[in-house]
Amino acid sequence: MLYKYCAEREIPHKQLGKLIVATGVAETAKLDILLRNAKENGVDDLQMMEGSQAMEIEPELRCLKALLSPSTGIVDSHSFMLSLLADAENLGTTISYNTAVLSGYVGDEGLELHISESKELDNHSVGSPVSPQLILLPKLLINSAGLSAIPLAKRFHGLNQAFVPPAYYARGCYFTLSQTRSPLSHLIYPLPEDGGIGVHVTLDLNGLVRFGPDVEWIDGEKDVMSCFLNRFDYSVNPTRCSKFYPVIRKYFPNLKDGSLEPGYSGIRPKLSGPGQPPSDFVIQGEDIHSIPGLVNLFGIESPGLTSSLAIAEYIVSRYLR
């Protein structure tokens, strides 16, 4: 769906392909598990390769075995989001910027949304309530608030909190390869690790190489209003690169000392914490929580952007018929 959308709207994108690599004997069996998972989920174009085959197409790579995903690609995410915004506005959508949804209420008349200007949250003191400036009565509410989706759902009075999972937050940093010419032509992924998909190689449309993300568990819910205002720390500590070099050299041994520069970071809204098996997305409607008109989206981390069109189509087909 995403390739078709990008082609129709001339959004920059490129189908590069991805290699998921096993660098040790103990890892090769995990590739078999990923291949089986893929087939069970309808992904039937993955190809298992011997290390020699993978290193033929990527001479700088070192691995014992690899899974090739030929359908994987990259997209100009900002152009994609601007295109979605234009689509929404062309269809009559009103975007209310600098506005915060504080809480909700489920009553006999349906849903209430309590809303305030974001600057009101800026001025509040921790622990004190913020009075809504506006109350909306939506026929349909899709809670797709990302990092704030679970904290917001916890403030929906009348929603059975048994349906609201715990929230975990993982910050991930990326470092950029300082050399201008990319030594690799595919995305390269190690096997998934606790809390993430491993420090992998990602290429942008200009050929810039980035490595990341790592996993740093943070406390994301200590102050709900700060969470709503996205006051997370997105700085990249340059010293974190010391942990990147040995991990990357397992599959890219020619990485030179001093060649990594701080890039950027992101924070993933996760449904599983340290040491727990990874959780799938949660798309939760009336059939689960019994509240008409409310759809909650929990744990939509990567690859949420890639699957955003499919998620929207699923919600429409399931809850808006």
Side-chain angles (χ1 to χ4, degrees), residues 249-299:
R249 282 175 177 147
K250 287 180 182 177
Y251 57 81
F252 177 39
N254 291 334
L255 179 67
K256 294 185 174 67
D257 283 338
S259 61
L260 296 181
E261 299 171 349
Y264 60 88
S265 76
I267 297 171
R268 308 192 279 286
K270 303 186 73 67
L271 299 180
S272 50
Q276 298 175 359
S279 299
D280 204 347
F281 297 162
V282 169
I283 301 173
Q284 190 188 80
E286 181 185 359
D287 52 328
I288 296 170
H289 53 53
S290 304
I291 296 173
L294 174 62
V295 180
N296 284 317
L297 276 67
F298 297 141

Side-chain angles (χ1 to χ4, degrees), residues 112-165:
E112 281 186 11
L113 269 192
H114 300 164
I115 293 169
S116 171
E117 287 184 284
S118 298
K119 66 183 180 184
E120 293 298 310
L121 273 67
D122 273 323
N123 300 329
H124 101 293
S125 53
V126 176
S128 63
V130 180
S131 299
Q133 296 172 305
L134 179 68
I135 293 177
L136 285 184
L137 307 175
K139 291 178 182 173
L140 171 71
L141 170 63
I142 300 174
N143 172 16
S144 58
L147 296 170
S148 298
I150 288 174
L152 183 57
K154 287 180 177 178
R155 296 167 69 89
F156 286 159
H157 307 288
L159 170 64
N160 186 337
Q161 292 299 304
F163 297 111
V164 183

